[in-house]
Amino acid sequence: MKTQSLCILGSTGSIGQSTLNVVEQNPERFKVHALSAYSRIDTLVTQAIRHAPAVVVVPTDTARQAFRQAWPSSVPCPEIRVGSQALCDTASESAVTTVMAAIVGAAGLPSALAAAKAGKRILLANKEALVAAGSLFMQMVRDNGAELLPIDSEHNAIFQCLPGSDRATAPDFPAPGVKRLLLTASGGPFRATPIEQLAHVTPEQACAHPNWSMGRKISVDSATMLNKGLEVIEAHWLFAMPPDRIHVVVHPQSVVHSMVEYTDGSVLAQLGQPDMRTPIAYGLGFPDRIESGVGLLELATLGRLDFHPPDLERFPCLALAYQALEAGQAACIALNAANEVAVEQFLQRQIGYTDIPGIISRALGHACVPQHGLPDSLDAILDLDARIRDLSASWCRSVA
């Protein structure tokens, strides 16, 4: 058994922390080579003391100074690298075999692409690599012989239920015999809230997910179901599946993580506790099954599993995501950029919860988003992303 050398991008977030938890339970399999963080420098210091990486990456010189000041003088200090280029360099260096791409938002896109270009095994928890750059990213995976394993619980579940899931693959066409992909969604904290009350939702309410423990931005995305819309776009690229064959089903218990329906009527589902350590362990150990630390699933205790279609009046962001996918890659970039800005403004109490889909809709219809043509380079993608962010910020100010 060969030891994997890990680069964990976004190690202080929920995915990064869960990854390190799984690593601790399988110390003979993994060595942590590099960790990165954006703002939680004290947490990064604690992680680095515990896991002894050779490298840590921080965003600024100020963060580097903070790391050095917090580091105990009695312990050898790792190499401290600074900036977004350092993330790319670290993800692609020869000492790394496996990259956990868990930086939230478009900030994680360049390093995920760098890992693909370097032919690494990529455990993909960053949605933007596929939402904003699906065609470019998947082509880079194929051209450079990278291995791609989805970590989002829904895509990980689908991967496990597809034929040929004994190897990491980037398919050029839908898997044979597959009729539909069924992405499950919890419905978040507002699945039964009267629609007229949604205008008064607070950030605290939106972040109180009933099943999953996640960061604030992702929690809001789950509440609006924009998160599920991004997952539809991801599934299109990961599994080469047309949009009309990717369906969303609301499943409040979050036990069935997703399903694959075959042409003969069979439906294969992956079930488990709502705990991200399960898909992380699957990705880290692949093709083996390793200990995740997740408890047993007691179906008899659950008693029932419910499913129903999503209410698009309650969740307009889901409909906007399908609209963006049909319109093309540029619209997907706009969808993601506008949402990131709007969610941040909502979390800062500058706009209301129900203003979020309005900002996204305005971005999708703006003249700077080409309805034809594909941003074919990272620079073009980031340029459109930046323009939409600037416009979305101005629209948020006008709403406020």
Side-chain angles (χ1 to χ4, degrees), residues 81 116 131 136 166 176 180 184 228 244 247 295 381 391:
R81 300 177 183 174
V131 172
L136 179 65
D166 57 335
R180 290 191 301 168
T184 57
K228 201 56 50 179
D244 63 352
H247 292 226
I381 290 166
L391 286 166

Side-chain angles (χ1 to χ4, degrees), residues 277-310:
R277 290 177 297 175
T278 296
I280 289 168
Y282 183 82
L284 284 171
F286 184 84
D288 300 330
R289 300 276 181 172
I290 65 174
E291 180 60 50
S292 68
V294 177
L296 296 175
L297 179 64
E298 301 290 356
L299 286 173
T301 302
L302 286 171
R304 58 182 287 174
L305 300 175
D306 298 297
F307 303 91
H308 55 85

Side-chain angles (χ1 to χ4, degrees), residues 66-88:
F67 186 94
R68 285 194 183 280
Q69 289 172 358
W71 189 263
S73 58
S74 59
V75 180
C77 188
E79 178 186 352
I80 308 171
R81 300 177 183 174
V82 177
S84 57
Q85 185 58 49
L87 290 171
C88 297

Side-chain angles (χ1 to χ4, degrees), residues 5 7-9 34 68 120 145 152-153 178 182 220 227 230 232 234 241 252 260 268 299 306 333 369:
S5 178
C7 170
I8 304 175
L9 303 176
R68 285 194 183 280
K120 304 298 183 184
D152 267 359
S153 61
V178 173
L182 300 169
V220 176
N227 194 48
L230 297 180
V232 168
E234 288 182 272
M241 188 65 70
V260 176
L268 301 187
L299 286 173
D306 298 297
I333 295 169
V369 179

Side-chain angles (χ1 to χ4, degrees), residues 57-376:
V57 186
V58 297
T60 63
D61 286 331
T62 300
R64 172 163 49 186
Q65 293 172 1
F67 186 94
R68 285 194 183 280
Q69 289 172 358
W71 189 263
S73 58
S74 59
V75 180
C77 188
E79 178 186 352
I80 308 171
R81 300 177 183 174
V82 177
S84 57
Q85 185 58 49
L87 290 171
C88 297
D89 294 342
T90 304
S92 57
E93 67 183 1
S94 59
V96 171
T97 61
T98 303
V99 175
M100 170 58 80
I103 296 175
V104 174
L109 174 56
S111 53
L113 285 168
K117 188 175 182 180
K120 304 298 183 184
R121 169 176 280 198
I122 304 166
L123 310 185
L124 189 64
N126 169 276
K127 297 180 183 300
E128 287 66 30
L130 292 171
V131 172
S135 178
L136 179 65
F137 183 78
M138 295 304 290
Q139 193 60 52
M140 202 166 286
V141 168
R142 294 186 186 97
D143 290 349
N144 295 283
E147 284 187 300
L148 181 60
L149 292 158
I151 297 302
D152 267 359
S153 61
E154 294 81 4
H155 305 104
N156 190 274
I158 288 170
F159 182 80
Q160 294 189 51
C161 294
L162 283 174
S165 60
D166 57 335
R167 61 188 180 90
T169 183
D172 292 310
F173 48 82
V178 173
K179 186 175 183 179
R180 290 191 301 168
L181 305 181
L182 300 169
L183 292 168
T184 57
S186 70
F190 308 130
R191 58 177 172 255
T193 302
I195 291 176
E196 62 273 13
Q197 294 181 16
L198 295 178
H200 307 292
V201 160
T202 67
E204 291 75 19
Q205 291 171 322
C207 291
H209 196 283
N211 300 338
W212 295 92
S213 175
M214 304 180 291
R216 282 164 61 80
K217 190 266 182 185
I218 298 175
S219 294
V220 176
D221 286 350
S222 180
T224 65
M225 279 189 72
L226 188 282
N227 194 48
K228 201 56 50 179
L230 297 180
E231 290 169 8
V232 168
I233 298 169
E234 288 182 272
H236 165 71
W237 290 112
L238 280 169
F239 308 117
M241 188 65 70
D244 63 352
R245 291 166 62 185
I246 306 170
H247 292 226
V248 173
V249 179
V250 174
H251 168 51
Q253 291 88 357
S254 296
V255 169
V256 176
H257 296 306
S258 277
M259 298 169 275
V260 176
E261 183 176 10
Y262 287 83
T263 52
D264 63 359
S266 298
V267 178
L268 301 187
Q270 188 266 339
L271 286 71
Q273 299 277 16
D275 190 319
M276 285 304 299
R277 290 177 297 175
T278 296
I280 289 168
Y282 183 82
L284 284 171
F286 184 84
D288 300 330
R289 300 276 181 172
I290 65 174
E291 180 60 50
S292 68
V294 177
L296 296 175
L297 179 64
E298 301 290 356
L299 286 173
T301 302
L302 286 171
R304 58 182 287 174
L305 300 175
D306 298 297
F307 303 91
H308 55 85
D311 178 353
L312 296 183
E313 182 182 2
R314 179 182 302 278
F315 301 115
C317 288
L318 177 59
L320 290 169
Y322 272 101
Q323 177 185 327
L325 181 54
E326 292 286 358
Q329 190 76 71
C332 293
I333 295 169
L335 173 90
N336 179 72
N339 177 68
E340 285 195 20
V341 172
V343 168
E344 180 59 29
Q345 291 298 301
F346 166 68
L347 288 171
Q348 294 181 13
R349 306 179 195 276
Q350 299 301 305
I351 66 172
Y353 176 81
T354 53
D355 292 323
I356 295 172
I359 299 296
I360 296 171
S361 180
R362 195 166 178 178
L364 292 182
H366 199 273
C368 78
V369 179
Q371 298 305 302
H372 303 286
L374 181 70
D376 57 359

